[in-house]
Amino acid sequence: CDSYKLKPQDIEYCWDELVNLKDKHKHGEFHLLIGNHDLHYMLTSEEYSGKNYLTQVAMYEKLMNAWDNKILEPYIIDEKNKTIYSHAGITKTWCKIWEHNLGDEVNLDSLRFTFGNTFNVYGDCPENGFVWIRPNSLYSDMLDGYKQVVGHTITSKPVIIGSDENNKPY
């Protein structure tokens, strides 16, 4: 929901269009995944780069309604292909800290940014949830048996993080 160029009403219009697209694709072909730049409009005490208070006024209720009604999703699990789709990735450490099993309901508070044990200002620690974690920490602490497709950190080419049938990372 953040933009350094768009006005809050433009962001609201884009959001409404995305929700309309999701509504048209009721059979699961279109998903809206929560990211860190949505989260700080939902957890209003949080503030990350790009936060605009006028956007918060426009988007808070829309985002909370979408979360409560499962329009805005935490992650998608494709069990057939053993693949998880999320904004940034899910680690064993985060699951352990929050006593989270895949498919459980997600507490928004569990997604707040943390410096974790690494004290990394960019979220590069396995304690961070699936809107913050960075590829290095995800790679070192990924869930066994799943590939993960993420989009949080900009890369020059797609990177698939997962493990083979022997749970060796690739």
Side-chain angles (χ1 to χ4, degrees), residues 66-126:
W67 180 258
D68 291 342
N69 290 297
K70 301 186 182 0
I71 295 165
L72 183 59
E73 300 172 82
Y75 52 81
I76 305 300
I77 306 167
D78 176 356
E79 282 295 348
K80 179 181 175 190
N81 296 302
K82 301 305 274 181
T83 304
I84 300 169
Y85 299 87
S86 69
H87 181 69
I90 303 173
T91 64
K92 291 184 270 192
T93 299
W94 179 84
C95 287
K96 183 178 178 182
I97 290 168
W98 291 94
E99 299 177 354
H100 183 82
N101 296 307
L102 286 180
D104 286 355
E105 198 162 311
V106 174
N107 177 338
L108 279 177
D109 283 327
S110 72
L111 302 180
R112 292 179 190 275
F113 179 87
T114 180
F115 291 102
N117 291 328
T118 65
F119 299 99
N120 184 281
V121 298
Y122 298 106
D124 198 2
C125 64

Side-chain angles (χ1 to χ4, degrees), residues 21 23 44 51 53 75 85 112 127 132 169:
L21 277 172
D23 191 49
T44 57
K51 186 171 186 178
Y53 288 96
Y75 52 81
Y85 299 87
R112 292 179 190 275
E127 293 90 347
W132 282 112

Side-chain angles (χ1 to χ4, degrees), residues 4-151:
Y4 292 102
K5 298 176 184 175
L6 296 177
K7 297 176 188 170
Q9 57 267 33
D10 297 330
I11 291 170
E12 185 176 16
Y13 173 79
C14 288
W15 173 258
D16 291 342
E17 289 299 306
L18 288 171
V19 171
N20 288 336
L21 277 172
K22 179 160 177 66
D23 191 49
K24 289 178 184 177
H25 297 276
K26 294 183 188 277
H27 301 292
E29 301 95 0
F30 190 90
H31 297 274
L32 295 172
L33 299 174
I34 188 172
N36 55 307
H37 289 276
D38 308 317
L39 185 64
H40 67 176
Y41 294 118
M42 299 164 76
L43 300 174
T44 57
S45 64
E46 299 288 291
E47 185 172 336
Y48 318 130
S49 65
K51 186 171 186 178
N52 179 320
Y53 288 96
L54 294 176
T55 302
Q56 182 172 309
V57 170
M59 295 304 299
Y60 173 78
E61 286 187 29
K62 288 177 181 270
L63 289 166
M64 291 305 296
N65 180 55
W67 180 258
D68 291 342
N69 290 297
K70 301 186 182 0
I71 295 165
L72 183 59
E73 300 172 82
Y75 52 81
I76 305 300
I77 306 167
D78 176 356
E79 282 295 348
K80 179 181 175 190
N81 296 302
K82 301 305 274 181
T83 304
I84 300 169
Y85 299 87
S86 69
H87 181 69
I90 303 173
T91 64
K92 291 184 270 192
T93 299
W94 179 84
C95 287
K96 183 178 178 182
I97 290 168
W98 291 94
E99 299 177 354
H100 183 82
N101 296 307
L102 286 180
D104 286 355
E105 198 162 311
V106 174
N107 177 338
L108 279 177
D109 283 327
S110 72
L111 302 180
R112 292 179 190 275
F113 179 87
T114 180
F115 291 102
N117 291 328
T118 65
F119 299 99
N120 184 281
V121 298
Y122 298 106
D124 198 2
C125 64
E127 293 90 347
N128 266 304
F130 51 83
V131 299
W132 282 112
I133 188 124
R134 302 296 175 161
N136 287 335
S137 290
L138 178 60
Y139 186 76
S140 69
D141 194 41
M142 64 189 159
L143 295 175
D144 294 331
Y146 288 93
K147 293 178 280 202
Q148 295 201 42
V149 178
V150 302

